[in-house]
Each structure stands twice: as C-alpha cells, then as structure tokens.
Amino acid sequence: MPASDHAFVPTPHHLRHGLPARTGHARQSSRDLPSPLPQAPAVVPPHARLARKGALLLAALLMGSAAHAAVITVHPGEKVQDAINRASNGDEIRIERGRYVENLKVDRTVTLKGIDLPTIDGSNKGDTIRVTAEDVVIEGLKVINSGDSLLNQNAGIYIQPGAHRAIVRNCYLSYNLFGLWIEKANDVQVLSNNITGKRDYDSPKRGNGVELYNTKGARIIDNEISFVRDALYIDVSHHAIFQRNRLHHSRYGTHYMNSYYNLWEDNDTWNNRGGLALMEVRDQTIRNNRAWHNTDHGIMLRTLQDATVENNWVIDNGRGLFVYDVEYTNLLGNVVASNRTGVHLSGSVRNKVDGNDFVGNQLQIKYAGTRDHEWGGEKGNYWSNYRGWDRNGDGRGDIPYEANDMVDRLTWRYPGTRLLMGSPAVQALRMVGQQFPILRVPSIVEKHPRMQPQPVNWVDWYTGTLNSLYNAPENLRREH
C-alpha cells in the first residue's frame, strides 16, 4: 500500500510497549497480552524526509530572525549613522522627529522609519543617503540638501548597483540635485513620495526627479514630482510599472529611452515643456494617461515599435501627439483636443489608428509624407472639422475625410498666411485644390469617419482640474 494511503501505522507508544492497535473489540486485560515482539520502524520516503528537514530549517530561520531583529530608536541630538553601524540585518531603526545633519550610508539590510517626518539634511554635499545593501526600506523621512555635482550624480537617495529590492515610500525629497538615482538595482519600489529639485537652478543644472538606469522590475507608483530637469528619466530599464504619478513644472514629465516591456498607466503630466516622451523603445503599454497644458508635446512617440497607446487624454498642448518613425503600434480610443496641432506625424506606417477623437485642434494633422496614409477601422475616428454627411444613419461618414490640403501646406511654410485664413481667396484656393487632383497634397485619409465623439466627459474633467489648480498651493498651479 502506498505511504499516502491511510493504513494503520503503530504509534511510538505501541512500539515501545508491544501494544496492539485498538479495535472495536473489548479491551484485553494485561494478563492476556502477548509478549512483546520486535517491530520494524515505519518507512519514511526520502522526499518526505527532505520536506520535513526543509520545514524544520525554515522554521528555525524564521524564529532566529524574529528573535534577533531589534528596534533601535534614534532621538534628536543622536546620530542616525551610529544606529546603522550597530544594527544587524533585519533591524528597524526608528528616527524620532528632529533634524539630523549627516550623510548616511546604509550598508546593511535595515528599515529606516521616520516618526512624525524627521529631516535628514545632507548639508549640500554628496548624497544625503546612499544605499549599498539589499532589501533596505526607507519610509517617512524628509530627505533634503544633497550636493549639486552633476558629475558625481549627487542625490537625495542614491541606490547603488546591487542594492536590489530597495523600497522608498512616503518620503519628502526636497532641494536635492537628483531625487533618487537608481542604478543596476532590480525590483526597486518608489511609492507615494513627494519629490522636488533645486528649483532656483536653471533647468540644465538640475538633476532628475527619479533616474532609473539599467534596472529591471521597478515600480514607480503614486509619486508627485516637480521642479526638476526631467521628472522621470528612464534608460535601459525593463519590465517596469509607472502608475498614478503626477509630473509637472519640469522639462519633460518623462524622458524615456532604450527600454522595453513597460507599463505607463493613469499618470498626469502638465506644465512641462513636454509631457510623456518615449524614444527608441518597443513593447510598451501607454494607457489612461492625461497630458495637458504642456508647451510642446503632450505625448511624444519617437522610434517606437510594437506598442499600444490607448484611452489617453491629450489636451491643450502645443502638439498633442508627436509621432515620428513609429511602426506596428495601436493608437486606440485617445482624445486629442484643443491643441495647437493635434498630431504631428512623420515617417510612421503599419499602425492601427482607430476609435480616437480629434476635437477642436487648431490644426488637426501636420503630416510630412509623400503618399496618403489611411486611418480608421471598425470604430472609426471622430474629426470635429469633418464636413461630410451620413445618409444611411449608420454613424459613419459617407465621404472620406482628408486631414490636409494645399492651404495647410502653405500655412506650414508661411505661418503669416494664417491671417488670411477666413478670406474668400483662401477659401477659393482650398476648393480648387479639392477639385483638381494635380494640386492635391499627400494626407491622412479616413474613408468613413465616425460622426459622433466618444461618450467621455473630458471637458468637465479639464475645467474642474483647472479650477482646482487655481486654488491649489503655488507649486501645483497652472501658471508657468
């Protein structure tokens, strides 16, 4: 019978005293018991012995860890570095509210936990905190005043190569050159922090809010980052998640290159020169983000392949989407509205562009190409300046939409001609271009555009957002 079947196995008590198993018969007296017989020990399969040893070893490790982990409290006037130096792996260092002027080196696996937001002040030199050990947790601290050497990459918190699985959460990082510099450290988590830079420096002399270089598995979630050079600077970093971050008053909300298999979701970028800038990348998912009131582009897609860009709201930017050299990418369900140029498009083919709304952009498409490209699909795109009709009531236009004509090309080359856009001469020129194919220019064409926009109320959201920011603290306001 296999060992897993429920056959009777004598207990140690039976084996020691030669007792038979209990049955449903009457209990025998001691006089009736047979003389003890030698019993063979129960056979335990090798895999069961290994499993038992493994369980015992794990229990011993856990008990040992719990027994040896200590809580060390640092009071005002004491040195946090002294507490780190005498801590063991697994200890928690609790730092009471106060100002601690020192540059910390965390070289063992500990938790630095602030009580009522104590301040670690780097006194404008070096890194305020440098992490060299794995599995370090930093939470509830105010980390300020790193040095300002771009050459040495001075940071509020510098997570150096090999310091994997670090967690930085619920911290305020202020007046540091780089907020966090994370290099060759995998599975790092940056959660619910507020990061501002040296805001009185010119943009080129500032560092970035969070710099990720050559990492895997990062989680950058629920952070507010402002007044830095680039809020998020990502290079050669893969399998990362960027969610619910608020990125504003910087050069780029994201400056992102040479990175693959990442998720950008539910982020807000506003009052930057550029919102999301993704360059030289592939296998991205970019969805449910809001990019608004950036002076140049809302979302830049440059040299991008095999990506999905869906359900983003791109509103009131210089250029809503800047799409350059993009292939095998789906642009689906986006709202591109009230930008000076809705989409600036060049050298991008073999993409699916469907289900989007292009609403009230001064120029819907600026297309630099030598032949027509067809957009649209099962759902169709909505164009607020479409002048066609829908005779059969299927919700799709009966005549094609063409984004550009010869008048648009003239205004690109000679911007001063915009002053004449309402004149009869310009309208006559536009009509002539439509009637004579020889004068027609290459364009984005959609055979049957959608007649109605998506039922999403982005107008109320945008109006409410602007009103709330006018009444917000100064660092969040709409004005540049």
Side-chain angles (χ1 to χ4, degrees), residues 251-450:
R251 183 180 67 170
Y252 290 150
T254 69
H255 193 162
Y256 177 86
M257 300 182 295
N258 308 308
S259 301
Y260 313 131
Y261 308 108
N262 294 328
L263 170 66
W264 297 86
E265 184 175 44
D266 200 21
N267 301 286
D268 283 274
T269 61
W270 77 93
N271 275 17
N272 306 292
R273 187 182 307 169
L276 301 178
L278 292 88
M279 298 177 282
E280 307 285 347
V281 297
R282 58 181 171 86
D283 294 290
Q284 306 292 309
T285 299
I286 305 151
R287 67 186 178 211
N288 299 329
N289 301 286
R290 292 159 297 277
W292 47 278
H293 203 257
N294 298 288
T295 56
D296 189 357
H297 61 267
I299 299 179
M300 174 195 289
L301 307 173
R302 180 172 179 177
T303 317
L304 174 73
Q305 292 86 32
D306 302 305
T308 296
V309 183
E310 62 183 0
N311 300 327
N312 302 286
W313 291 0
V314 187
I315 302 169
D316 190 21
N317 304 282
R319 293 178 287 183
L321 300 176
F322 178 45
V323 182
Y324 181 87
D325 193 23
V326 172
E327 296 182 299
Y328 307 107
T329 290
N330 297 322
L331 286 85
L332 309 171
N334 303 287
V335 173
V336 183
S338 301
N339 304 284
R340 289 194 297 276
T341 299
V343 182
H344 188 170
L345 179 70
S346 179
S348 298
V349 295
R350 294 179 286 275
N351 301 303
K352 181 178 180 180
V353 185
D354 190 29
N356 305 285
D357 287 359
F358 300 95
V359 183
N361 301 293
Q362 295 179 27
L363 178 64
Q364 295 281 44
I365 301 285
K366 183 175 182 179
Y367 171 56
T370 58
R371 59 186 179 88
D372 287 349
H373 280 298
E374 186 172 331
W375 283 6
E378 180 181 352
K379 294 182 177 180
N381 299 294
Y382 172 76
W383 306 87
S384 61
N385 61 335
Y386 177 60
R387 296 295 178 260
W389 54 84
D390 177 19
R391 287 180 178 175
N392 61 2
D394 66 351
R396 305 293 288 270
D398 294 339
I399 62 174
Y401 172 80
E402 295 190 10
N404 301 134
D405 58 21
M406 62 184 303
V407 173
D408 294 324
R409 289 296 181 97
L410 282 174
T411 58
W412 303 345
R413 295 184 64 181
Y414 308 104
T417 59
R418 292 181 184 276
L419 298 172
L420 305 174
M421 289 301 292
S423 70
V426 171
Q427 297 305 316
L429 184 60
R430 195 183 292 274
M431 183 177 297
V432 167
Q434 294 172 351
Q435 297 300 319
F436 294 92
I438 194 173
L439 298 177
R440 187 180 175 280
V441 298
S443 180
I444 296 299
V445 177
E446 183 162 357
K447 290 181 179 179
H448 300 289
R450 186 160 32 92

Side-chain angles (χ1 to χ4, degrees), residues 211-215 233-238 255-259:
E211 175 123 6
L212 281 179
Y213 176 68
N214 202 0
T215 70
Y233 188 97
I234 317 300
D235 193 10
V236 199
S237 295
H238 316 307
H255 193 162
Y256 177 86
M257 300 182 295
N258 308 308
S259 301

Side-chain angles (χ1 to χ4, degrees), residues 83-373:
I84 296 172
N85 293 342
R86 69 174 183 267
S88 300
N89 288 335
D91 286 355
E92 180 178 289
I93 299 172
R94 297 181 181 176
I95 306 169
E96 292 190 342
R97 183 175 178 85
R99 191 180 190 93
Y100 302 84
V101 181
E102 51 185 316
N103 299 82
L104 304 181
K105 182 178 181 181
V106 186
D107 58 358
R108 58 206 68 195
T109 300
V110 296
T111 294
L112 298 183
K113 184 173 183 179
I115 307 300
D116 295 328
L117 201 65
T119 298
I120 310 298
D121 186 341
S123 62
N124 296 304
K125 60 182 181 182
D127 307 313
T128 303
I129 301 176
R130 176 174 283 256
V131 177
T132 65
E134 296 182 344
D135 300 296
V136 169
V137 178
I138 299 173
E139 62 177 313
L141 301 179
K142 186 174 182 180
V143 181
I144 66 173
N145 294 340
S146 78
D148 63 359
S149 171
L150 289 169
L151 178 64
N152 296 322
Q153 304 157 357
N154 293 155
I157 300 175
Y158 193 111
I159 299 176
Q160 76 172 39
H164 304 302
R165 298 176 298 279
I167 299 175
V168 179
R169 63 187 173 214
N170 300 321
C171 291
Y172 283 79
L173 291 92
S174 178
Y175 211 72
N176 301 294
L177 187 66
F178 292 87
L180 287 103
W181 183 290
I182 304 166
E183 180 176 354
K184 297 181 182 178
N186 297 330
D187 302 311
V188 171
Q189 299 182 52
V190 179
L191 312 173
S192 302
N193 302 286
N194 188 300
I195 301 172
T196 57
K198 294 183 180 289
R199 56 189 298 173
D200 55 334
Y201 285 34
D202 292 336
S203 178
K205 295 181 180 180
R206 300 175 185 173
N208 303 312
V210 176
E211 175 123 6
L212 281 179
Y213 176 68
N214 202 0
T215 70
K216 292 181 181 178
R219 300 292 182 266
I220 313 297
I221 300 173
D222 287 322
N223 301 284
E224 178 127 14
I225 306 176
S226 59
F227 298 100
V228 291
R229 183 170 57 195
D230 299 331
L232 297 175
Y233 188 97
I234 317 300
D235 193 10
V236 199
S237 295
H238 316 307
H239 301 284
I241 294 176
F242 305 89
Q243 287 178 319
R244 298 188 302 276
N245 299 291
R246 292 160 57 86
L247 316 170
H248 55 95
H249 291 88
S250 301
R251 183 180 67 170
Y252 290 150
T254 69
H255 193 162
Y256 177 86
M257 300 182 295
N258 308 308
S259 301
Y260 313 131
Y261 308 108
N262 294 328
L263 170 66
W264 297 86
E265 184 175 44
D266 200 21
N267 301 286
D268 283 274
T269 61
W270 77 93
N271 275 17
N272 306 292
R273 187 182 307 169
L276 301 178
L278 292 88
M279 298 177 282
E280 307 285 347
V281 297
R282 58 181 171 86
D283 294 290
Q284 306 292 309
T285 299
I286 305 151
R287 67 186 178 211
N288 299 329
N289 301 286
R290 292 159 297 277
W292 47 278
H293 203 257
N294 298 288
T295 56
D296 189 357
H297 61 267
I299 299 179
M300 174 195 289
L301 307 173
R302 180 172 179 177
T303 317
L304 174 73
Q305 292 86 32
D306 302 305
T308 296
V309 183
E310 62 183 0
N311 300 327
N312 302 286
W313 291 0
V314 187
I315 302 169
D316 190 21
N317 304 282
R319 293 178 287 183
L321 300 176
F322 178 45
V323 182
Y324 181 87
D325 193 23
V326 172
E327 296 182 299
Y328 307 107
T329 290
N330 297 322
L331 286 85
L332 309 171
N334 303 287
V335 173
V336 183
S338 301
N339 304 284
R340 289 194 297 276
T341 299
V343 182
H344 188 170
L345 179 70
S346 179
S348 298
V349 295
R350 294 179 286 275
N351 301 303
K352 181 178 180 180
V353 185
D354 190 29
N356 305 285
D357 287 359
F358 300 95
V359 183
N361 301 293
Q362 295 179 27
L363 178 64
Q364 295 281 44
I365 301 285
K366 183 175 182 179
Y367 171 56
T370 58
R371 59 186 179 88
D372 287 349
H373 280 298

